[in-house]
Amino acid sequence: MKTIDELLAEGVKGKRVFVRADLNVPLAEGTITDDGRIRAVQPTIAKLAEAGARVIVASHLGRPKGAPDPAFSLAPAAERLGELLGADVAFATDTVGDSAKATVAALADGQVAVIENLRFNAGETAKDDAERGAFADRLAELADFYVGDGFGAVHRKHASVFDLPARLPHAAGYLIATEVGVLKKLTDEVKRPYVVVLGGAKVSDKLAVIDQLLGKADRILIGGGMAYTFLKALGHEVGISLLQEDQIPKVKEYMQRAKDTGVELVLPVDVLVSKDFPDLKGKTPADFETVDVDGIPKEKEGLDIGPKTRELYASKITDAETVFWNGPVGVFEHPDYAGGTTAIAQALVDSSAFTVVGGGDSAAAVRTLGFDENAFGHISTGGGASLEYLEGKTLPGLAALEG
């Protein structure tokens, strides 16, 4: 995989460099609530601009249906990128149309432009190779070189991720190089004990990675909504908690495999429950109950790991040399159910291990809960991409950069 430093050594002054970034940031009424992904790609963009390149930044945001939708405009991201770079960033109001062409043509050496949301064009995500390729052809007309640095999208076979690198001389940006280096430390160069914390809502989303980790991790700690399928598999009543009954046979199989392979699979011993979630307005602490996992009321829902589980999980992290965490272990967006996720984050901060926060909601939780990002070994920008890499899948965006 060619590096951006190799590309810079060849000279990019005056050249149009297309940077596939991941500016898919959360927005609340047009305001960015977490700019982590923009900050993550800033070093690549800044370095290219300093070298005199004419930088064209492209990304997706959200899931528009192949047509322009103001709710998913990249304009706020372009504005924030300009603030981080300390320079004006031009913005094209389309992807490959008149605005994009004119904006790119107007760039001087060292200037940066952002084109509108790639998913406003149906060709970006098309399943049909020809349709996707046709869009990639039009994108290629805008540039002389391609730099892939949108790690959060490398698991997608999309035009700007997979097809475009085949049409231009290409290299990997600093962010992708960093992300891949970290993932190798979780797969090929693991320091033990290796502890994995998995949370999130659906156990089905994590089965493939559990399958791989059963042969690699020393301990797997389970939390979040997915834990209740494990607890049900053990015969516990889980009330109205999140449950995927159809996954119970697979969960039982994995629990047995963990025993057979000597992997310590750790489940909650107590949980916080309520019967009123998400309608919690006006509730008092008395409305929230902590129960052992063998005492979950039929009419209540588990929403966070309890204090005994928090202590247990922290103790399982203490002696680790490597920790990977993907998925909050409770409904951290609500302060009454953020305690478990806070405890996991604090355990990682207190650990001397190489700690990796696996993107997505986990990264959002770390920032929302006020933790210093520098207290972790690495905070990934791609939850889905990280998981698929750990599952052993070939990621289209990385394969394209290696071609």
Side-chain angles (χ1 to χ4, degrees):
M1 188 182 292
K2 187 174 184 178
T3 68
I4 187 173
D5 287 332
E6 291 175 297
L7 179 65
L8 290 165
E10 294 173 4
V12 294
K13 183 176 175 59
K15 301 296 184 181
R16 302 168 301 164
V17 180
F18 187 105
V19 177
R20 200 337 177 157
D22 179 8
L23 309 181
N24 185 28
V25 293
L27 297 171
E29 297 181 358
T31 300
I32 297 170
T33 58
D34 181 357
D35 67 354
R37 283 176 169 163
I38 304 176
R39 287 186 285 110
V41 76
Q42 177 197 351
T44 291
I45 296 168
K47 193 73 172 180
L48 287 165
E50 288 169 10
R54 303 178 182 191
V55 187
I56 306 135
V57 182
S59 175
H60 70 288
L61 192 153
R63 296 179 181 273
K65 301 184 183 301
D69 183 338
F72 297 107
S73 175
L74 278 174
E79 181 179 353
R80 179 59 181 146
L81 177 60
E83 293 170 354
L84 292 169
L85 292 171
D88 290 336
V89 170
F91 182 66
T93 57
D94 57 27
T95 56
V96 290
D98 291 342
S99 179
K101 292 174 183 176
T103 300
V104 171
L107 287 175
D109 294 359
Q111 290 187 330
V112 178
V114 174
I115 63 174
E116 188 53 285
N117 192 335
L118 291 164
R119 292 185 183 175
F120 284 2
N121 189 304
E124 169 68 1
T125 59
K127 301 294 185 185
D128 181 75
D129 291 349
E131 183 181 356
R132 217 176 48 248
F135 182 51
D137 287 339
R138 297 183 69 187
L139 289 172
E141 293 172 2
L142 298 174
D144 303 302
F145 294 99
Y146 175 95
V147 171
D149 216 26
F151 180 73
V154 293
H155 59 315
R156 306 296 188 191
K157 192 177 181 181
H158 291 170
S160 65
V161 176
F162 178 74
D163 302 273
L164 185 54
R167 289 158 168 78
L168 293 170
H170 51 268
Y174 293 123
L175 175 60
I176 279 187
T178 297
E179 295 272 14
V180 172
V182 166
L183 288 168
K184 285 183 178 178
K185 291 183 180 180
L186 299 178
T187 52
D188 304 328
E189 307 159 8
V190 183
K191 292 184 178 180
R192 299 183 180 281
Y194 178 20
V195 178
V196 176
V197 184
L198 295 177
K202 294 182 178 180
V203 69
S204 57
D205 292 340
K206 304 290 167 68
L207 286 177
V209 75
I210 292 173
D211 181 47
Q212 289 293 315
L213 290 169
L214 283 174
K216 294 174 182 174
D218 297 296
R219 298 181 197 126
I220 302 176
L221 317 182
I222 302 292
M226 63 182 286
Y228 299 98
T229 301
F230 280 86
L231 294 174
K232 186 70 171 181
L234 289 175
H236 293 304
E237 169 64 53
V238 297
I240 56 172
S241 306
L242 284 172
L243 176 65
Q244 290 185 285
E245 294 240 26
D246 62 322
Q247 300 298 329
I248 288 177
K250 182 61 72 174
V251 164
K252 286 182 176 180
E253 175 193 327
Y254 285 0
M255 292 169 73
Q256 185 59 51
R257 275 182 56 198
K259 286 183 180 180
D260 294 342
T261 56
V263 175
E264 189 179 0
L265 187 63
V266 189
L267 300 176
V269 294
D270 63 341
V271 295
L272 272 65
V273 298
S274 173
K275 63 179 180 181
D276 298 303
F277 186 81
D279 184 20
L280 296 172
K281 188 176 181 181
K283 300 296 178 183
T284 67
D287 295 300
F288 311 119
E289 182 181 5
T290 301
V291 299
D292 289 343
V293 293
D294 59 359
I296 299 174
K298 289 184 178 181
E299 74 280 5
K300 294 192 176 184
E301 179 180 5
L303 298 166
D304 195 9
I305 58 172
K308 289 188 289 188
T309 304
R310 296 169 199 174
E311 289 184 17
L312 172 64
Y313 284 13
S315 73
K316 297 295 184 181
I317 291 170
T318 300
D319 68 341
E321 289 293 329
T322 305
V323 183
F324 172 70
W325 172 31
N326 181 278
V329 296
V331 187
F332 76 91
E333 298 89 347
H334 191 282
D336 290 299
Y337 301 106
T341 300
T342 300
I344 294 296
Q346 189 63 55
L348 266 67
V349 169
D350 294 341
S351 171
S352 61
F354 175 61
T355 55
V356 179
V357 180
D361 288 341
S362 310
V366 163
R367 297 185 181 107
T368 300
L369 297 172
F371 285 89
D372 180 1
E373 294 180 41
N374 295 320
F376 302 89
H378 179 69
I379 298 179
S380 179
T381 56
S386 294
L387 285 178
E388 290 199 14
Y389 188 100
L390 294 180
E391 290 167 17
K393 291 183 178 179
T394 296
L395 306 187
L398 296 185
L401 291 175
E402 290 166 352

